Amino acid sequence: MSSTGAAGQKGLDMILHPPARLQIAAVLAAVSEAEFAKLREVTGVSDSVLSKHLAALSEPGYIKLRKAPANGRQRTWASLTRKGRKAFTEHVAALNRIMSTAGLADTADQKV
């Protein structure tokens, strides 16, 4: 079981595993915060789907959401929490371990 998220094979965090959530975490790991529209652009999902993904990441404390006016409209900003950064780092490490294992299994004679 992952120390920060839902149980997964080989340390994968099932909260972060869906591609859109992984993309969101990757963007947020690189910046202090990102606006909803930017996350929608990166993930390529609709507003409602993005809202559901953000809620799924917010519930376990992986991201923090804040609403603030910008250019006369209410905007939503997301940032990765310390817990979320740790979960993302561990999830990426698990993916790297899987990829490393896959690289070793390229020959038919090799046993893992």
Side-chain angles (χ1 to χ4, degrees):
M1 178 173 210
S2 165
S3 62
T4 56
Q9 289 186 337
K10 301 189 187 282
L12 293 176
D13 187 315
M14 294 291 97
I15 295 168
L16 288 172
H17 196 64
R21 292 185 201 162
L22 192 55
Q23 287 176 305
I24 292 165
V27 168
L28 296 178
V31 299
S32 60
E33 64 180 2
E35 201 264 326
F36 186 93
K38 184 62 174 176
L39 295 173
R40 182 184 59 227
E41 176 186 320
V42 168
T43 59
V45 298
S46 68
D47 287 2
S48 63
V49 170
L50 180 57
S51 291
K52 288 177 184 178
H53 283 303
L54 292 176
L57 292 169
S58 180
E59 185 176 307
Y62 286 6
I63 66 169
K64 179 182 174 189
L65 298 173
R66 102 177 151 84
K67 296 192 183 277
N71 300 326
R73 296 180 62 191
Q74 186 78 352
R75 306 284 185 185
T76 300
W77 297 82
S79 59
L80 200 59
T81 64
R82 188 171 295 167
K83 181 179 181 180
R85 187 171 302 279
K86 181 175 187 245
F88 176 68
T89 300
E90 290 175 359
H91 185 75
V92 170
L95 291 172
N96 284 330
R97 284 191 301 276
I98 291 168
M99 295 305 296
S100 176
T101 301
L104 294 175
D106 279 342
T107 64
D109 296 331
Q110 198 165 17
K111 294 181 182 179
V112 179

